[in-house]
């Protein structure tokens, strides 16, 4: 392939996640009529940003505590509890919210008068995002060399003092990164705030699009994008000020057995994430099914939504990986930071913005007639999924490309292999696990996805599992929602587990 | 008969104004093993990459097996059609392929693959994957793989860098025997002068940056008659002694010494430890340090302003007084 051709592929892949922004710009410039929401725009933005800040203030300490338990402590059942604590990451937030809304609300375990609104959303999103912090802080904790802490101890520092003096400074970048990631997650979350009817930007944008108020959606979308960019810039600034010195092969610190009080605290932390964030929601779904069964209610068959989910996921994964290949290679092998930056910007785009951007761009480009055909053919849905999940596929592919040893390619070359033979015999076998991991990740994320599925799926007849769950929750057909939800949990877990196994991750 | 490798005036720079190689000339004869010795940063690896075709040199000419493969900053023949074998320091075996598939990668002839597997003692391991092999076995796979493709010239990048000192000598002889058995011409890059001298037909010394070959000759010549002090020190421990030359001999602080080649006037003599002997007793020389080296001791002796390394009886100790006897003939550094 020529150099220009290669760069065209890189540019196409890197630009795909940013297409929805073009759509949003078209919407803002298009002069679609709009009217301000009753309470004004300011409070709406404040509630969105406030929710993000509150959740990060709760989820990061909780996740960091779990990371410490995972890496440094020793207590009965640690391995199982740690894995259970990570599972909320694999659950769609709307499923978590739907189950907890009923489990904790009227008639539920706690018997609260209601489990809806901003407060409920903060609880659910904290449970959903604490594992993010757990993973990031845990990885950083594992990189802290034991020798430093031991040196501090031999110099007379207590455990706590050594932790404060030596470990904490090393964790700062991870803590900042987790906070940023959690805030971006909350700002872009649609599922939990929709199910819990929390008045924030994503939910209002969805309502505006669903009610064909495209002008309102564009203005709200512009605000959401601005808030997202602001967070990114702030995160960048905060991260710029902390340095992390790496150590090649740090010897791990010995685990510390927990005392009685420590064990009790560990159980509380696990109880929140593993119990409230995983076991209770799954048990609730199962109860709904059993309840429906005992009452003899008819269950809607699940074969079709499962087949549609897998088919849509597979097609999206194929197209996404093909598009992400060139940028992943350029970034991983040749260190093109610009490519990373473009793709990562796309990563921060909320799904509901992606759906609206794709829809608005298609409308502007086709002028209505072809737009319907595109929607029915599933092209818009596919474009939405690809734009939304290309950054995640990029990250997986870039890791695989970076891990590929260029000397293998050079060896094959001096042994006489041409470009095509090297690609097939040497490069692809080496990066195949990374490609599979990227594809598995996209399938899992498509199965979890809600706003793009709700806004762009029905036109194509793509009523996936998550569509079914949300639809039945709305209709209060809980036995159907429970059955579809359990299957969805299974699909997500399987796809994530396969992806992690292929990618060689934990 | 065509020469397997000719390099003329080769120069390269990764960034303008910072040449890595400059005016490198080198020729390999058929079946010859030349060792390229140089400090890290002298451009050894860049030179190998230029020869293999993985980097296009900015200047000069590379001729492989009679064909011009690079000339004047242009690639004439790409890496995959050069017939240059390259064995990486880390071997770079293909992890997804068996040993046999690795060796067969550049060789369509199964009989030759079998022969090389047998010659390298890998026949029983042919179905294994690289990860299931020891480091030494991996190295043999890398060698067999490169040799199977029947290159005009084989390039070996620090082949013993990952090998413990006691194993190096054996392994070096194994490699040498294998190359000789295959009639291969090879250029072996190493930072270890001992490896270079024990294995190679000729030793080429690369100094830089910018790297250029300052001397290329038989090991005993480069060792005993280096063209400058840096090469002398690179090839082994030594001392430099100022002397006044008068034809066939020169007078030094350690007495009168015969010269390898006639000179007159002030010169600097190269004195290797095996050329100097410390004798305890009367004299103004004093031992400042001592190390045990097997059959005897090696001592650092100070005499007046000068220090030399010398051989001494095991009983010699720091602080001992005595005299140093230099056994000529000695080499006077040119210039």
């Amino acid at each position: 392939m020529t150099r220009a051709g290669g760069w065209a592929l890189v540019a196409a892949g890197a630009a795909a996640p940013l297409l929805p922004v073009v759509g949003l710009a078209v919407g803002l410039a298009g002069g679609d009529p709009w009217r301000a929401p009753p309470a004004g725009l300011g409070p709406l933005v404040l509630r969105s940003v406030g929710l993000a800040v509150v959740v990060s203030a709760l989820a990061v300490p909780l996740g960091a505590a779990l990371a410490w338990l995972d890496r440094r402590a020793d207590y009965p059942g640690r391995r199982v509890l740690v894995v259970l604590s990570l599972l909320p990451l694999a659950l769609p937030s709307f499923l978590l919210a739907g189950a907890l809304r009923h489990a904790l609300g009227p008639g539920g375990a706690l018997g609260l008068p209601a489990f809806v609104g901003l407060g409920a959303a903060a609880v659910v999103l904290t449970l959903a995002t604490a594992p993010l912090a757990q993973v990031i802080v845990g990885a950083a904790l594992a990189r802290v060399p034991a020798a430093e802490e031991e040196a501090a101890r031999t110099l007379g520092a207590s455990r706590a003092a050594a932790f404060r003096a030596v470990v904490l400074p090393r964790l700062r970048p991870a803590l900042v990164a987790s906070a940023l990631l959690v805030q971006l997650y909350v700002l872009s979350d649609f599922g939990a705030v929709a199910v819990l009817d929390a008045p924030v930007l994503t939910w209002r944008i969805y309502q505006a699009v669903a009610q064909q108020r495209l002008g309102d959606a564009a203005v709200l979308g512009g605000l959401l994008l601005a808030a997202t960019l602001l967070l990114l810039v702030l995160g960048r600034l905060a991260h710029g000020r902390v340095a992390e010195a790496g150590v090649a092969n740090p010897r791990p610190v010995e685990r510390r057995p927990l005392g009685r009080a420590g064990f009790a605290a560990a159980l509380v932390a696990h109880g929140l994430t593993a119990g409230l964030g995983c076991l209770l929601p799954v048990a609730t779904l199962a109860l709904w099914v059993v309840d429906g069964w005992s009452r003899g209610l008819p269950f809607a068959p699940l074969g079709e939504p499962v087949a549609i989910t897998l088919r849509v996921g597979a097609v999206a994964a194929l197209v996404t990986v093909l598009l992400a290949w060139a940028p992943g290679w350029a970034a991983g092998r040749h260190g093109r930071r610009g490519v990373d930056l473009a793709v990562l910007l796309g990563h921060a785009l909320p799904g509901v913005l992606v759906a609206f951007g794709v829809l608005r761009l298609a409308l502007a480009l086709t002028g209505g007639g072809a737009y319907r055909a595109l929607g029915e053919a599933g092209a818009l849905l596919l474009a939405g999924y690809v734009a939304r999940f290309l950054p995640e596929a990029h990250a997986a592919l870039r890791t695989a490309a970076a891990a590929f040893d260029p000397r293998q390619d050079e060896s094959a070359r001096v042994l006489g292999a041409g470009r095509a033979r090297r690609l097939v015999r040497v490069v692809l076998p080496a990066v195949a696990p990374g490609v599979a991991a990227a594809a598995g990740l996209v399938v899992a994320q498509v199965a979890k996805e809600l706003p793009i599925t709700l806004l762009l799926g029905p036109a194509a007849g793509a009523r996936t599992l998550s569509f079914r769950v949300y639809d039945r929750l709305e209709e209060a057909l809980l036995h159907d929602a429970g059955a579809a939800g359990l299957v969805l949990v299974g699909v997500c877990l399987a796809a994530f587990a396969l992806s992690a196994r292929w990618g060689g991750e934990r | 008969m065509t020469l397997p490798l000719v390099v003329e005036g080769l120069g390269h720079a990764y960034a303008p104004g910072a040449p890595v190689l400059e005016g490198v000339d080198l020729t390999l004869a058929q079946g010859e093993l030349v060792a390229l010795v140089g400090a890290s940063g002298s451009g050894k690896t860049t030179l190998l990459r230029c020869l293999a075709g993985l980097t296009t040199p900015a200047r000069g000419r590379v001729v492989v097996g009679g064909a011009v493969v690079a000339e004047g900053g242009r690639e004439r023949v790409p890496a995959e059609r050069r017939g240059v074998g390259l064995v990486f320091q880390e071997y770079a075996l293909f992890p997804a392929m068996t040993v046999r598939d690795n060796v067969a990668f550049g060789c369509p002839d199964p009989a030759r693959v079998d022969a090389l597997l047998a010659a390298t003692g890998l026949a029983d391991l042919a179905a294994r994957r690289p990860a299931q092999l020891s480091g030494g076995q991996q190295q043999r796979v890398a060698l067999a793989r490169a040799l199977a493709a029947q290159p005009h010239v084989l390039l070996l990048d620090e082949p013993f860098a990952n090998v413990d000192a006691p194993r190096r000598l054996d392994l070096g002889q194994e490699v040498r025997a294998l190359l000789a058995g295959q009639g291969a011409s090879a250029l072996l890059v190493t930072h270890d002068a001992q490896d270079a001298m024990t294995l190679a037909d000729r030793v080429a010394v690369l100094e830089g940056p910018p790297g250029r070959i300052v001397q290329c000759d038989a090991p005993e010549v480069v060792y005993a008659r280096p063209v400058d002090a840096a090469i002398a020190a690179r090839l082994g421990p030594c001392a430099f002694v100022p002397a006044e030359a008068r034809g066939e001999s020169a007078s030094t602080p350690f007495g009168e010494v015969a010269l390898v080649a006639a000179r007159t006037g002030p010169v600097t003599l190269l004195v290797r430890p095996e050329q100097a002997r410390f004798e305890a007793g009367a004299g103004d020389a004093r031992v400042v340090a001592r190390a045990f080296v097997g059959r005897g001791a090696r001592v650092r002796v100070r005499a007046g302003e000068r220090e030399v390394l010398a051989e001494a009886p095991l009983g010699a100790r720091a602080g001992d007084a005595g005299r140093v006897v230099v056994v000529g003939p000695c080499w006077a550094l040119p210039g």
Side-chain angles (χ1 to χ4, degrees):
Chain A
M1 189 184 324
T2 63
R3 222 178 148 69
W7 277 110
L9 284 181
V10 172
L18 296 177
L19 274 187
V21 179
V22 179
L24 178 64
V26 168
L28 282 172
D32 300 328
W34 76 284
R35 58 187 170 81
L41 289 173
L44 193 54
V45 175
L46 267 184
R47 282 197 297 269
S48 285
V49 174
L51 182 63
V53 171
V54 167
V55 169
S56 70
L58 294 172
V60 172
L62 180 58
L66 287 164
W68 187 86
L69 288 171
D70 176 16
R71 303 283 177 172
R72 294 298 176 86
D74 197 16
Y75 49 94
R78 175 176 55 85
R79 284 168 195 278
V80 175
L81 286 171
V82 164
V83 171
L84 282 179
S85 290
L86 285 174
L87 284 186
L89 215 50
L91 299 187
S93 65
F94 65 90
L95 201 59
L96 198 57
L100 290 184
R101 176 178 179 167
H102 290 272
L104 302 180
L110 289 187
L112 298 175
F115 189 74
V116 289
L118 273 178
V123 171
V124 167
L125 288 169
T126 298
L127 297 176
T129 55
L132 275 180
Q134 182 187 339
V135 169
I136 295 170
V137 177
L141 204 49
R143 285 198 303 268
V144 178
E148 289 186 10
E149 246 179 298
E150 288 161 0
R153 296 294 308 283
T154 59
L155 292 170
S158 68
R159 269 183 201 285
F163 189 84
R164 269 198 311 277
V166 176
V167 181
L168 212 52
R170 278 190 175 270
L171 295 188
R172 254 195 69 188
L175 293 171
V176 170
S178 321
L180 174 67
L181 220 61
V182 167
Q183 287 166 5
L184 285 174
Y185 183 105
V186 173
L187 207 55
S188 70
D189 176 74
F190 167 78
V193 296
V195 169
L196 299 173
D197 196 20
V200 293
L201 278 167
T202 48
W203 179 222
R204 291 289 182 256
I205 294 170
Y206 173 81
Q207 288 169 325
V209 179
Q211 292 161 18
Q212 308 278 322
R213 292 184 282 117
L214 296 189
D216 295 3
V219 171
L220 296 175
L223 286 173
L224 180 55
L225 182 64
T228 304
L229 288 178
L230 184 71
L231 265 185
L232 277 179
V233 171
L234 287 180
R236 192 91 211 144
L237 288 180
H239 202 271
R241 272 191 256 111
V242 287
E244 191 183 5
V247 170
N249 275 315
R251 185 166 44 84
V253 175
E254 269 182 39
R255 292 183 179 281
R256 184 183 161 195
L258 288 187
R260 199 178 293 264
F263 186 49
L267 284 186
V268 170
H270 284 304
L272 279 174
T273 49
L276 213 51
C278 177
L279 297 178
L280 181 63
V282 171
T284 303
L285 297 180
L287 273 178
W288 289 346
V289 174
V290 171
D291 183 53
W293 215 300
S294 63
R295 289 199 278 146
L297 297 176
F299 281 86
L302 283 166
E304 202 189 339
V306 170
I308 289 176
T309 302
L310 293 179
R311 198 171 64 229
V312 169
V315 173
L318 181 71
V319 176
T320 306
V321 168
L322 281 178
L323 263 176
W325 172 260
W329 194 252
R333 275 298 299 283
H334 306 297
R336 304 290 178 204
R337 306 260 320 177
V339 174
D340 274 341
L341 199 64
V343 175
L344 290 180
L345 267 177
H347 192 35
L349 273 191
V352 70
L353 260 192
V354 170
F356 170 68
V358 166
L359 192 149
R360 192 63 190 80
L361 186 63
L363 210 52
L365 290 180
T366 63
Y371 164 79
R372 177 178 290 263
L374 278 179
E376 282 168 3
L380 297 186
L381 180 67
L382 185 63
Y385 285 147
V386 170
R388 178 85 173 98
F389 299 126
L390 192 137
E392 297 198 34
H394 170 79
L397 290 176
R398 137 193 243 299
T399 306
F404 176 72
D405 183 351
R407 281 169 299 216
Q408 293 201 5
D409 189 47
E410 291 170 351
S411 274
R413 212 175 150 207
V414 293
L415 288 169
R419 191 185 276 272
R421 181 155 179 249
R422 296 204 302 273
L423 183 68
V424 173
R425 291 288 314 272
V426 177
V427 178
L428 283 182
V431 299
V435 173
L441 202 60
V442 174
V443 171
Q445 294 290 15
V446 164
K448 270 180 78 178
E449 212 288 329
L450 195 59
I452 297 172
T453 309
L454 289 183
L455 287 174
L456 303 176
R463 296 173 201 282
T464 63
L465 268 176
S466 58
F467 184 95
R468 164 72 67 84
V469 175
Y470 184 79
D471 182 59
R472 295 302 145 115
L473 278 175
E474 289 280 276
E475 305 287 333
L477 293 170
L478 296 184
H479 63 294
D480 264 352
L486 285 177
V487 175
L488 177 56
V489 169
V491 169
C492 288
L493 284 182
F496 274 122
L498 281 179
S499 171
R501 163 169 289 212
W502 289 327
E505 291 160 9
R506 203 172 101 111
Chain B
M1 192 169 174
T2 50
L3 292 165
L5 176 69
V6 178
V7 181
E8 291 168 355
L10 186 142
H12 191 66
Y14 290 110
V20 180
L21 295 169
E22 195 63 71
V24 173
D25 295 310
L26 183 67
T27 301
L28 253 70
Q30 181 59 44
E32 194 184 23
L33 174 57
V34 172
L36 185 69
V37 187
S40 49
S42 59
K44 300 188 298 278
T45 299
T46 301
L47 179 55
L48 281 203
R49 293 181 66 85
C50 286
L51 303 184
L54 301 172
T55 298
T56 303
R59 283 174 301 284
R61 201 151 85 111
V62 180
V63 186
V64 175
V68 177
V69 296
E71 189 175 28
R74 300 258 294 277
E75 179 184 76
R76 301 277 181 205
V77 178
E80 56 267 35
R81 289 195 278 112
R82 274 191 187 189
V84 173
L86 176 58
V87 177
F88 285 89
Q89 186 176 335
E90 300 83 357
Y91 316 140
L93 301 179
F94 306 130
M97 296 181 201
T98 62
V99 167
R100 193 190 166 77
D101 288 344
N102 263 282
V103 176
F105 190 88
C107 173
D109 174 9
R112 182 169 172 78
V113 173
D114 285 331
L116 270 160
L117 287 172
T120 47
L122 291 167
D124 295 339
L125 306 174
R128 299 230 189 139
R129 295 192 190 270
Q132 300 168 296
L133 301 181
S134 71
Q137 291 166 339
Q138 291 187 14
Q139 179 170 48
R140 280 186 270 153
V141 178
L143 270 170
R145 181 177 72 178
L147 285 169
Q150 292 187 282
H152 294 290
V153 59
L154 185 63
L155 311 175
L156 301 151
D157 191 2
E158 298 275 6
F160 312 118
N162 304 325
V163 183
D164 294 340
R167 275 279 292 142
R168 291 171 86 103
L169 203 60
D170 289 349
L171 201 62
Q173 297 305 333
E174 271 174 37
V175 169
R176 173 153 186 97
L178 181 62
L179 295 179
Q182 299 290 324
S185 317
L187 183 64
L188 181 152
V189 161
T190 177
H191 66 276
D192 186 310
Q194 204 60 45
D195 284 350
M197 288 189 293
T198 49
L199 291 177
D201 298 313
R202 282 190 298 150
V203 173
V205 184
L206 191 69
E207 300 227 319
R212 56 188 191 88
I213 291 176
V214 286
Q215 190 168 13
C216 181
D217 219 319
E220 56 272 21
V221 174
V222 182
Y223 181 76
R225 288 183 269 153
V227 296
D228 65 34
I231 299 176
R234 171 145 293 284
L235 284 240
C238 59
F240 302 106
V241 175
E244 188 66 28
R246 288 185 305 274
E248 300 290 319
S249 68
S251 65
T252 74
F254 307 102
E256 198 71 8
V257 176
L259 293 181
V260 171
R263 293 278 293 276
T264 49
V267 290
T268 301
L269 297 189
L270 165 67
V271 180
R272 297 282 182 196
E274 59 271 19
Q275 291 180 294
R277 201 175 64 246
F278 173 74
E279 291 175 352
D284 59 353
R286 194 166 292 275
V287 175
V288 287
R290 167 195 181 270
F292 172 62
V293 289
R295 66 183 188 286
R298 174 165 295 173
V299 291
R300 180 178 292 278
V301 185
R302 173 175 282 272
E305 292 294 294
R306 294 292 142 194
E307 280 193 1
V308 289
L309 293 167
E311 292 180 342
L314 270 173
R317 290 284 180 272
D320 287 358
R323 66 187 190 110
V324 173
V325 179
V326 174
V327 184
C330 282
W331 173 248
L333 293 174

